[in-house]
Amino acid sequence: RESELKLCKMSALNISKKRKFVADGVFYSELNELFSRQLAEDGYAGLEVRVTSATIEIIIKATRTQDVLGEKGQRIRELTSVVQKRFNFPDGAVEIFADRVANRGLNAQTQAESLKYKLLGGLAVRRACYGVLRFVMESGAKGAEVSVSGKVRGQRAKTQKFADGYMIKTGHTYEEYVDTAVRHVMMRQGVLGVKVAIMLPHDPKGIMGPKALLADVITILEPKGDDYRGY
């Protein structure tokens, strides 16, 4: 098994850096697509891929980890087998784990999926969106935005936006602070596009949100004692 894994890694080393990044991106995207379809009802909230010397570890983030594991771990073994066969990995080269999301109210994928099922259940668009917004803001988010596009009422397609709190739109800070997710809802009158954007709060520990402060946040320190004389 180790020799097979070494051969896989040798072939990976032989390709150029550019191709490796593209291959890693395609691998991640394909896994994300598979899990978001299979685990949609179990609160799927993203994945993380870690490559160790012996194995490839795939960590599935979800709100209901017990449902992801299945009875006696049967479901996660099935997913491992599917991934192994799809990418031609040797036996035991892939390990899949399930990790519980710390705060589902601050996860855009979970909230987009929740909104999707509310709309499929026949709840009014405005009510469903405001429900999601309220839950996100109560979970401690700095701001949130929900938009629904398509034939909401009547034959004319339009976009409805619902926003609350503070939201940035551009720059590197946007990439760090804003979590976004898009879902397609197959309604009877056509397809609705649902987009959820959540601005995470600052967290010095980096658990609930990013460690880095926003660029425009200025900390004013207390002046030193009487001994200090400024120039």
Side-chain angles (χ1 to χ4, degrees), residues 85-160:
K85 284 173 183 168
R86 165 65 186 87
F87 295 101
N88 296 324
F89 289 126
D91 287 344
V94 181
E95 286 182 0
I96 299 181
F97 304 99
D99 185 24
R100 190 184 294 277
V101 173
N103 190 344
R104 66 192 183 99
L106 296 178
N107 191 285
Q109 289 202 44
T110 311
Q111 292 312 309
E113 208 64 55
S114 160
L115 182 56
K116 176 182 172 179
Y117 283 105
K118 279 180 181 179
L119 294 171
L120 285 169
L123 196 65
V125 173
R126 188 180 291 269
R127 196 170 175 189
C129 291
Y130 276 126
V132 168
L133 271 185
R134 193 173 66 249
F135 182 71
V136 169
M137 293 306 288
E138 282 171 3
S139 299
K142 266 198 162 183
E145 191 176 273
V146 176
S147 61
V148 178
S149 308
K151 288 197 277 187
V152 178
R153 190 186 282 134
Q155 283 299 301
R156 186 81 178 194
K158 59 180 177 179
T159 302
Q160 287 188 340

Side-chain angles (χ1 to χ4, degrees), residues 169-185:
K169 299 282 184 180
T170 55
H172 175 66
T173 324
Y174 170 83
E175 290 172 16
E176 280 195 328
Y177 268 86
V178 182
D179 186 21
T180 56
V182 176
R183 288 290 180 273
H184 301 101
V185 190

Side-chain angles (χ1 to χ4, degrees), residues 13 70 123 167:
L13 286 169
L123 196 65
M167 176 68 68

Side-chain angles (χ1 to χ4, degrees), residues 202-217:
H202 167 66
D203 182 11
K205 292 179 181 175
I207 299 164
M208 305 290 275
K211 276 185 184 179
L213 278 165
L214 282 165
D216 57 353
V217 173

